[in-house]
Amino acid sequence: MPETLKPSGRIYCALDTVDVAQARALAEALKGSVGGIKLGLEFFCANGADGFKRVADAGLPIFLDLKFHDIPNTVAGAIRAVAPLGPKLFTIHTQGGPEMMRRAAETAAEEADRHGHVAPWVIGVSVLTSLDGSDLNAIGVVDAVEAQVARLAGLARTSGIDGLVCSPREITLARKAGGADFKLIVPGIRPAGSAVGDQKRVMTPHDAVTAGADILVIGRPITQADDPAAAARAIADSING
């Protein structure tokens, strides 16, 4: 369970590059300093399954963050397509609805069994950390960010997926809605003194874990450091205060 992880095991580094050689080198450098690597949509569109494999061969678990969002059959087909890669976790959009989430969970379990892998965590994206209340209002969501995240967390839990991506500021609400075993994957993490960048709802690693985060997704504070492994270790040290 994530709660038993040592601090470094809670950190998944988001690689901010589409260069496979650079991504592989970063993954190699970060072995022993982080719990895993996050590969996102830009990287996967540029490099596909081959790029995934080359980074995964460094030996770290991979968070495949493609945020699937389509009709249930299409999402199930997409999961079947990436299942042979054996990601540790992957994302879908909770706003795809309960049937889409249910099919995603079922398909992930079936395909993991078929390929002899440990079943990946199916993680629902709630409200992107680049959005705030005014952004939600602009697309017709009248509730506050917190209420929307709580609603989607409850929907994700009842639909059978493993957890939620949420801003650090919604951790407590998501935990209450999802339950004790619900996995909370939290981007928008910035060490004290770091630039906020394009994230609107941020928190330090220590405060996020204290609030109940399981996995912290951290990119530029690690990848843009002169010594990424040392930066990751410093972040891990900060988790315990």
Side-chain angles (χ1 to χ4, degrees), residues 91-116:
T91 47
I92 63 176
H93 266 289
T94 56
Q95 293 182 71
E99 175 62 14
M100 190 200 83
M101 288 190 277
R102 184 184 66 78
R103 287 287 303 281
E106 291 174 352
T107 303
E110 291 166 359
E111 291 299 303
D113 184 65
R114 188 162 74 89
H115 292 285

Side-chain angles (χ1 to χ4, degrees), residues 113-237:
D113 184 65
R114 188 162 74 89
H115 292 285
H117 296 155
V118 175
W121 299 349
V122 182
I123 303 297
V125 175
S126 56
V127 177
L128 297 172
T129 56
S130 60
L131 304 179
D132 59 17
S134 64
D135 297 313
L136 290 185
N137 291 340
I139 59 173
V141 177
V142 298
D143 288 330
V145 168
E146 294 81 5
Q148 180 71 351
V149 170
R151 176 184 296 111
L152 294 172
L155 185 62
R157 179 183 60 79
T158 58
S159 299
I161 67 172
D162 298 292
L164 198 76
V165 177
C166 67
S167 148
R169 298 191 182 278
E170 290 88 53
I171 293 169
T172 301
L173 289 170
R175 176 66 67 209
K176 181 178 180 180
D181 294 332
F182 203 56
K183 298 171 176 67
L184 297 183
I185 315 301
V186 184
I189 301 298
R190 291 291 184 270
S194 296
V196 170
D198 58 359
Q199 305 288 340
K200 293 186 177 179
R201 305 190 314 282
V202 302
M203 189 176 285
T204 68
H206 170 77
D207 289 346
V209 171
T210 299
D214 294 316
I215 299 297
L216 309 179
V217 179
I218 305 173
R220 283 164 283 190
I222 296 174
T223 61
Q224 294 183 2
D226 292 336
D227 185 338
R233 290 192 294 270
I235 291 169
D237 289 343

Side-chain angles (χ1 to χ4, degrees), residues 67-80:
K67 300 181 178 72
F68 295 137
H69 186 182
D70 213 306
I71 63 173
N73 282 345
T74 299
V75 168
I79 292 168
R80 283 191 289 270

